[in-house]
Amino acid sequence: MLGQKRIASVVATGAVLALTLAGCGSESGEGGGGDTRVFRVAFNQNEAHPQAKAILELSDKLEAETGGRYRLELFPDGTLGSQEATIEQVQSGTIDFAFVAGSLLESLEPDFSVVNLPYVYESPEHQLEVLNDQAVVGELYDSLSQDNIEVLAAYHGGVRNVYTDKAVETPADLAGLKIRVIGSDTNVRMMELMGGVGTPMAQDEVYTAIQSGVIDGGENNELIYSSLSHDEIAPFYSSTGHLMMPDYLIASPNTWSSLDEETRGVFEGLLAESIDSELAAFDAAVETARADAEAAGATFVESDADAFREVVLPLHDELVTTERQQQVYDAIEAARG
């Protein structure tokens, strides 16, 4: 199980204490006549997303294993605000949990950039193994305690590839092309090394920007490519495989520390299971997204990922600058193969 190194699988169940927790609701419980504590979980995608399915499944198991004392309520589609806003709400204890992109944690602790590097993971399995291993990332995650954030688990967020109106097989094919990237200096520099021109832009502006010629393409995983209909205006999806950025489930420390030890153990065991089930669901969703995109006229191109990795590797030297980053980087490299 990929999540077991970071999260101890505790299967002991039994009676748990009824706790009054910041940010969670209460309703009549179905088992034993007590109240059910309802934890609010912020999520910026829809309920069909693999991470949403993982949380809903975890909630069902948590409710069953705690005799109806606890469950999770998912708020999808950004109904509780942007990811930046939900981080602040977790910090204040207004909400209990939130899914957030790994890149956003860099603004709180710059050392997080080491786990967001291009071509740092060789597979999703490699990614989840190291990012849920306390020996590798425990100190890094604990550094957010000063920001009132508890990192509970890392989840797979897909593999990002380039899409535009032509096949991109080598870095030379990206020459002069303006490609939308996540808004950070790191990602702009990454795209520059890959041969293109990194152009930060909000995701909801990308379709119109490509359609009007403001940019030439984008880079994202297959789910986003298909669900946002980018296959209509950028029909070549090229497997550069340059980024595998994690998504994190973060918690309010008040919520997490208020759980008794037994309940935390049950929760941690279920989190470990959900990491594996989310990856399996993500793989299935990618296959569906690829089929849907091909039906819409998209062509999937086999790129020379090794060539792209070679030209981007200098970025690793540029960004791994602290002792903690170097330790995490070395451990990730050691876990390859």
Side-chain angles (χ1 to χ4, degrees):
M1 300 281 286
L2 293 169
Q4 298 297 340
K5 288 187 179 180
R6 158 70 174 157
I7 304 168
S9 180
V10 180
V11 297
T13 59
V16 294
L17 298 176
L19 302 170
T20 302
L21 302 174
C24 68
S26 175
E27 58 188 38
S28 178
E30 297 182 8
D35 285 341
T36 297
R37 305 298 173 181
V38 183
F39 301 103
R40 305 204 304 165
V41 184
F43 189 55
N44 72 324
Q45 311 232 33
N46 61 42
E47 288 189 1
H49 193 279
Q51 291 168 0
K53 292 179 179 179
I55 285 298
L56 293 172
E57 181 180 297
L58 187 156
S59 177
D60 289 342
K61 291 180 178 179
L62 180 66
E63 190 169 11
E65 292 202 23
T66 61
R69 298 275 186 173
Y70 300 96
R71 71 177 179 85
L72 308 176
E73 184 175 3
L74 186 71
F75 289 80
D77 299 312
T79 53
L80 296 182
S82 66
Q83 289 192 11
E84 292 87 349
T86 60
I87 289 175
E88 294 178 359
Q89 292 176 73
V90 165
Q91 289 175 297
S92 67
T94 306
I95 58 177
D96 303 291
F97 305 104
F99 264 105
V100 298
S103 58
L104 296 178
L105 300 185
E106 291 184 36
S107 63
L108 299 172
E109 173 47 69
D111 279 355
F112 266 84
S113 63
V114 69
V115 296
N116 299 325
L117 290 171
Y119 296 107
V120 73
Y121 309 111
E122 67 178 2
S123 67
E125 290 78 11
H126 175 219
Q127 178 192 45
L128 295 181
E129 178 184 354
V130 294
L131 294 186
N132 289 295
D133 186 343
Q134 179 72 12
V136 176
V137 294
E139 183 182 333
L140 177 64
Y141 292 174
D142 289 346
S143 69
L144 291 183
S145 62
Q146 63 186 359
D147 296 294
N148 218 31
I149 290 174
E150 181 84 24
V151 178
L152 296 185
Y155 288 82
H156 182 58
V159 181
R160 299 176 78 98
N161 301 280
V162 168
Y163 50 88
T164 183
D165 62 355
K166 70 171 188 175
V168 174
E169 298 177 351
T170 68
D173 295 327
L174 272 177
L177 296 186
K178 291 180 287 185
I179 304 297
R180 182 265 177 180
V181 295
I182 298 171
S184 76
D185 292 342
T186 298
N187 285 280
V188 171
R189 174 66 173 147
M190 173 196 70
M191 188 53 60
E192 176 187 355
L193 291 170
M194 290 174 65
V197 180
T199 307
M201 182 178 294
Q203 185 63 263
D204 59 5
E205 299 173 6
V206 175
Y207 186 101
T208 301
I210 296 176
Q211 188 179 45
S212 63
V214 172
I215 59 175
D216 300 295
E219 53 84 44
N220 218 311
N221 63 57
E222 294 91 340
L223 276 61
I224 296 296
Y225 178 63
S226 175
S227 65
L228 297 185
S229 300
H230 290 178
D231 45 19
E232 296 176 353
I233 37 82
F236 288 88
Y237 189 90
S238 303
S239 60
T240 51
H242 53 276
L243 268 183
M244 204 181 296
M245 297 183 74
D247 291 320
Y248 290 104
L249 182 65
I250 61 172
S252 162
N254 289 337
T255 295
W256 191 245
S257 64
S258 295
L259 290 171
D260 63 277
E261 184 176 352
E262 183 179 35
T263 303
R264 279 201 305 269
V266 171
F267 206 131
E268 288 171 344
L270 295 176
L271 279 170
E273 294 177 10
S274 75
I275 291 165
D276 293 304
S277 64
E278 187 266 349
L279 178 56
F282 212 107
D283 289 344
V286 165
E287 290 303 311
T288 299
R290 283 178 64 101
D292 290 344
E294 287 176 334
T299 298
F300 284 80
V301 179
E302 193 67 32
S303 304
D304 186 351
D306 288 338
F308 283 101
R309 185 174 190 274
E310 183 176 352
V311 297
V312 168
L313 278 179
L315 190 58
H316 291 201
D317 293 330
E318 292 176 20
L319 294 181
V320 179
T321 58
T322 70
E323 182 178 354
R324 181 162 59 197
Q325 285 180 323
Q326 191 66 58
Q327 290 173 345
V328 173
Y329 182 82
D330 290 344
I332 293 173
E333 286 294 301
R336 285 182 176 271

